Amino acid sequence: MNQNIIACGQKVYVGTRVVLWDEGFVCPNKRGRSTCSHHDTKLNDAPSRKNSAYKILKPQLAYEELIQCVHQFVLHYDACYSSLHCHQLMTESSFKGSHFYLDLDGTIYQTCDLYWKTNTAPADDRQGNERAVHVEMANLASEALARESEWLPSNQDKYQKKKGQWILDLPKDYRKELQVTGFKITPSRTHGERGYFSKKINGRVVRMWDFTEEQYQALIKLSIGINRLLPRVKLQVPFDKKSGKHPLDRLKNYSNFSGILGHAHVQQGENGVECKYDPGSAFNWPRLRKVFALHGKRKGT
Ligand SMILES: [Zn+2]
């Protein structure tokens, strides 16, 4: 079972299951980063080509260059049933992709070498994909609420309380494709009686159930691995020292931030890009901050 992630052929052990592109999902729409020079520059623009066209020339030099270019790890919810569902949509698109998917059961999929650009989040300055690597985390977000679902309509909420526990009712076709058989999909934390969280992000109230505990544990390991592989991606999340809170809206200094942040932190909808809300109101930013602080201390001693 592979537990490494890869950039320019360099491997780093993350300590949790990672299904690589040669045995799982292949990013259908890779691009060359214009900030990197160790590939054929014709690969920088659409349309997508055959996988064999994406060659990294001089991988060691490419890696040294990549380390300088990439300083953000951007978190997304995929608004899908599972990573398989998310990948199906990426495959239907002519330009979209994501370096990583994080499935409900905590399985990480890496879809291409991190050298390549995936068009996951343009950010308000349209440079967001050049400086970042991305993860699409399986979560239905507002699609789970019957009254708010837009493209996955249903008569009842997709999470139901059974024997005191909120459970996602995943369609069989997706459930049977999870790596962990019989995995029970339940949120890591719940909010009161109603179960879902509700907070305003970039001007809109986002209502959603939390990610699974397995997703948080894998995401933390993945973040630490990315930091080791691409050290400009610091183990820090947006945090306002004055208020002691984690901002949820687009950051002022979003393009310079070096660390781990959400799609909503870089994109509120300027210059013709869409306004974004992910990874959403349920995401546990304080948990990441706490874990990274402990990790830093341990490393320092
Ligand atoms: Zn997103």
Side-chain angles (χ1 to χ4, degrees):
M1 181 170 80
N2 176 64
Q3 303 201 5
N4 299 305
I5 57 170
I6 302 178
C8 304
Q10 303 270 339
K11 289 182 185 175
V12 153
Y13 176 79
V14 294
T16 188
R17 177 170 198 162
V18 182
V19 181
L20 295 174
W21 59 92
D22 55 355
E23 53 175 8
F25 301 128
V26 181
C27 179
N29 302 299
K30 295 180 278 289
R31 298 287 184 268
R33 297 179 194 266
S34 64
T35 44
C36 290
S37 63
H38 294 279
H39 62 277
D40 179 351
T41 54
K42 284 183 197 135
L43 299 170
N44 293 4
D45 297 306
S48 306
R49 298 168 191 234
K50 269 193 244 161
N51 284 312
S52 56
Y54 296 84
K55 287 202 179 75
I56 304 168
L57 315 167
K58 299 185 181 156
Q60 185 57 43
L61 292 176
Y63 178 56
E64 284 162 24
E65 195 181 48
L66 187 72
I67 284 176
Q68 298 310 316
C69 300
V70 175
H71 56 94
Q72 295 186 345
F73 178 33
V74 183
L75 313 183
H76 305 257
Y77 56 55
D78 61 6
C80 289
Y81 280 117
S82 68
S83 293
L84 168 63
H85 187 201
C86 176
H87 182 66
Q88 287 168 343
L89 296 182
M90 298 295 194
T91 308
E92 283 168 22
S93 153
S94 59
F95 69 98
K96 277 188 192 168
S98 175
H99 300 97
F100 297 103
Y101 306 142
L102 175 49
D103 215 345
L104 296 162
D105 61 8
T107 302
I108 295 166
Y109 292 89
Q110 184 175 351
T111 70
C112 64
D113 191 291
L114 302 185
Y115 179 77
W116 303 109
K117 181 171 87 168
T118 56
N119 291 324
T120 325
D124 282 336
D125 64 355
R126 292 184 176 269
Q127 295 300 307
N129 291 308
E130 294 289 343
R131 59 178 172 251
V133 293
H134 300 269
V135 62
E136 288 280 1
M137 305 183 287
N139 185 295
L140 283 162
S142 48
E143 292 297 324
L145 270 163
R147 68 172 190 276
E148 294 200 354
S149 56
E150 286 174 27
W151 71 284
L152 297 169
S154 48
N155 300 325
Q156 60 169 12
D157 296 343
K158 294 178 184 74
Y159 286 82
Q160 291 292 322
K161 207 171 189 178
K162 288 171 191 161
K163 295 180 187 160
Q165 204 174 22
W166 289 97
I167 306 282
L168 171 66
D169 185 19
L170 192 65
K172 207 172 88 199
D173 285 353
Y174 294 115
R175 196 168 4 121
K176 67 175 200 244
E177 297 298 331
L178 291 179
Q179 298 280 340
V180 180
T181 4
F183 182 75
K184 198 203 275 181
I185 307 147
T186 187
S188 171
R189 300 165 305 147
T190 53
H191 186 88
E193 272 303 296
R194 68 180 189 207
Y196 62 84
F197 288 76
S198 170
K199 277 178 197 162
K200 204 172 189 180
I201 301 173
N202 285 334
R204 180 171 134 181
V205 178
V206 181
R207 298 177 180 92
M208 64 184 281
W209 276 270
D210 199 3
F211 297 86
T212 67
E213 177 56 27
E214 287 75 4
Q215 284 177 305
Y216 280 111
Q217 289 183 13
L219 177 66
I220 287 161
K221 288 176 176 166
L222 178 60
S223 301
I224 291 168
I226 287 174
N227 167 258
R228 283 178 59 205
L229 202 50
L230 303 167
R232 283 192 70 203
V233 181
K234 291 187 193 157
L235 289 177
Q236 59 178 11
V237 297
F239 181 70
D240 180 22
K241 277 187 190 145
K242 252 192 207 160
S243 67
K245 284 184 179 166
H246 293 269
L248 298 178
D249 297 342
R250 215 280 315 272
L251 306 176
K252 264 202 190 111
N253 66 339
Y254 70 95
S255 60
N256 296 325
F257 186 88
S258 288
I260 296 152
L261 72 182
H263 194 176
H265 288 129
V266 300
Q267 195 171 326
Q268 68 179 7
E270 284 171 4
N271 303 317
V273 303
E274 265 181 277
C275 183
K276 289 293 177 173
Y277 315 96
D278 50 328
S281 54
F283 189 76
N284 194 345
W285 290 107
R287 175 170 180 178
L288 262 65
R289 182 167 179 266
K290 217 185 262 174
V291 168
F292 295 156
L294 277 174
H295 183 81
K297 262 186 212 154
R298 232 179 281 144
K299 252 175 71 182
T301 53

